[in-house]
Amino acid sequence: NAAGVNQGALRGTAVHRVMECLDFKSLCDIDTKDHVAVSAFVKKSMDEMLKKGLITDDMYRLTRPKLIEQLISSDVPYADKRGALFNEKPFVMDYEGVLVQGIIDVFWLENDKIVLLDYKTDRVNAAKELIDRYSTQLKLYADALGRIFSTDGKSIQTDERLIYSFHLQ
């Protein structure tokens, strides 16, 4: 743990890494409204990530399991057994003459439309702050996904752009 490094930024990186490594398909095997089952799933998942070297000791320590549990138990309609979920998808595209690159947290295909979900760990007082701060980013992500999935014969666009705040519960 380097002195002087922003703990909030480190926590955000840690949470994103845990979410990247989380096996969403395994969520189909548990009742996501059963707090005990969700808690056990998160603990087992994080322990396995640490054991396999997917996350560091610091990441393990910085990630509050309760935050991950709240997302899993929420009404966020993330993809399930359909297997159409993608997470931590990097992209590079030309946008108005500027090369833009990013990593999309999660998206899935639903009825020939794309649903985009971005996790935020920012400490904010209201959802509007996140919407104002990240609307351009989500628009770029939606544009990139539309370009990736559309073909000459079929246009597939982002139907929903969702922000999930780990802070606003």
Side-chain angles (χ1 to χ4, degrees):
N1 190 350
V5 175
N6 181 321
Q7 286 295 301
L10 289 174
R11 178 166 281 114
T13 299
V15 168
H16 273 81
R17 179 62 180 160
V18 168
M19 293 305 300
E20 175 186 358
C21 297
L22 195 69
D23 182 4
F24 281 90
K25 287 186 176 68
S26 291
L27 290 176
C28 299
D29 300 331
I30 66 167
D31 176 0
T32 57
K33 297 305 176 195
D34 177 347
H35 176 71
V36 174
V38 170
S39 181
F41 173 82
V42 171
K43 171 133 181 49
K44 180 181 176 205
S45 296
M46 288 181 62
D47 287 350
E48 286 177 5
M49 290 174 205
L50 183 63
K51 184 178 176 185
K52 292 178 180 174
L54 298 173
I55 60 174
T56 64
D57 288 332
D58 278 349
M59 288 176 170
Y60 186 92
R61 183 181 49 77
L62 286 166
T63 301
R64 295 184 183 130
K66 188 148 202 72
L67 296 178
I68 309 299
E69 292 168 22
Q70 286 171 337
L71 170 64
I72 290 170
S73 300
S74 75
D75 292 326
V76 172
Y78 43 80
D80 49 34
K81 294 178 184 171
R82 296 172 304 222
L85 179 135
F86 302 85
N87 62 332
E88 297 298 317
K89 182 82 170 168
F91 73 92
V92 177
M93 72 173 183
D94 179 284
Y95 186 79
E96 297 179 0
V98 176
L99 196 61
V100 176
Q101 65 180 14
I103 299 176
I104 300 170
D105 289 341
V106 176
F107 68 93
W108 60 92
L109 303 174
E110 195 171 88
N111 302 320
D112 287 333
K113 298 284 186 188
I114 299 166
V115 180
L116 168 63
L117 173 63
D118 202 49
Y119 311 125
K120 297 299 177 194
T121 57
D122 306 43
R123 290 196 171 277
V124 294
N125 295 316
K128 186 175 181 335
E129 289 180 65
L130 291 175
I131 294 166
D132 291 346
R133 193 176 295 171
Y134 294 107
S135 62
T136 301
Q137 176 190 14
L138 292 181
K139 181 185 177 309
L140 288 171
Y141 286 5
D143 186 22
L145 289 171
R147 292 183 193 191
I148 291 167
F149 285 95
S150 294
T151 62
D152 289 339
K154 188 175 194 177
S155 173
I156 296 185
Q157 298 302 314
T158 301
D159 188 46
E160 291 182 75
R161 293 180 284 197
L162 308 172
I163 295 176
Y164 180 86
S165 171
F166 283 103
H167 182 70
L168 295 173
Q169 295 301 325

